[in-house]
Amino acid sequence: MTTALDLLANVVGATARGWRGTMVSRVAEQPAEPLKLYDIESCPYCRLVRETLTELDLDVLILPCPKNGQRYRVEAERIGGKQQFPLLVDDNTGTTMYESADIMAYLWRTYGGSERSPSALRHAIAVAGSNLATLAMLRPGGIAGLRLRPSTAPAERLELYSFETSPFSKPVRARLCELELPYLLRNTGKGQWSDMGPPMFRDRVFKGHRDTTRNRAWLAENTGRVQVPYLIDPNTGVAMYESRDILAYLNRTYAQPVP
Ligand SMILES: N[C@@H](CCC(=O)N[C@@H](CS)C(=O)NCC(=O)O)C(=O)O
């Protein structure tokens, strides 16, 4: 369940990162083949890469690799030689890459059209902030989005509309990671100030505003509102809003009892 404590902790975590991963700062052209990220939701290094993906408005296929994961960890090792995350695979350019700083620089160079290699010090500061954000994911049962929960594998990947700092989306992404459910992450970063704030606040304050970025416009057109998380599951035909309902749905549909 998404609790008030969860939300508050996720807001604190996002603040530790200066809310990087909220706004789109450069609209990249979507590659023909989706990028693939072998990822752990609670990993501080993976977070930095996901922030960059939001900022570049790039969709990405998330292949979750929680601790003790059985599905994509082995695949990552086969492809890259070791179980270290993040691991980016870009079939458009034949690139397989470890190291968050290198991946971020690669994404900016290849899709953002600019050279952005942070100095070692800047990256260390970013990692420190990201570690604080991971700490904010500490719950009574352990760190959310870190460890495997047994699940039934879906035939087809799911689809999630979300952006990195969304406090409501984070628990959903954490659960998708724990359950090892692959999903196409449709990044829904904000393109202008009038996209800011929860839908009820935004729609009252910025009357008649139009959502700017690609996936926000898609949500407005196809669902009549713009809110994240929004989950589409082609395996069951379900498409739904509300983090609590999505968490309950994922548990009901995919979680298996712990042996
Ligand atoms: N320098 C690497 C560090 C990556 C790293 O240490 N990732 C941890 C997860 S946060 C990892 O892969 N641990 C191995 C594991 O989870 O099995 C980077 O910036 O990408």
Side-chain angles (χ1 to χ4, degrees), residues 145-241:
L146 179 62
R147 294 196 182 281
L148 177 73
R149 290 187 189 211
S151 73
T152 308
E156 283 187 58
R157 55 135 181 88
L158 283 61
E159 199 165 321
L160 185 77
Y161 286 74
S162 155
F163 60 91
E164 181 55 30
T165 53
S166 160
F168 293 96
S169 301
K170 190 137 192 83
V172 170
R173 294 200 312 263
R175 186 59 44 81
L176 287 164
C177 182
E178 292 161 358
L179 294 171
E180 284 185 296
L181 303 177
Y183 61 101
L184 185 65
L185 174 60
R186 297 264 187 210
N187 262 310
T188 319
K190 294 159 192 284
Q192 62 189 8
W193 285 104
S194 60
D195 291 341
M196 288 294 177
M200 268 178 57
F201 160 85
R202 183 192 61 210
D203 296 344
R204 274 191 202 149
V205 174
F206 304 112
K207 290 200 191 314
H209 102 280
R210 295 179 73 83
D211 280 283
T212 44
T213 47
R214 197 171 42 94
N215 289 328
R216 298 178 73 83
W218 187 92
L219 284 174
E221 205 171 304
N222 290 278
T223 74
R225 70 207 242 221
V226 179
Q227 183 180 301
V228 295
Y230 179 69
L231 179 81
I232 300 176
D233 186 347
N235 302 287
T236 58
V238 154
M240 67 199 299
Y241 279 114

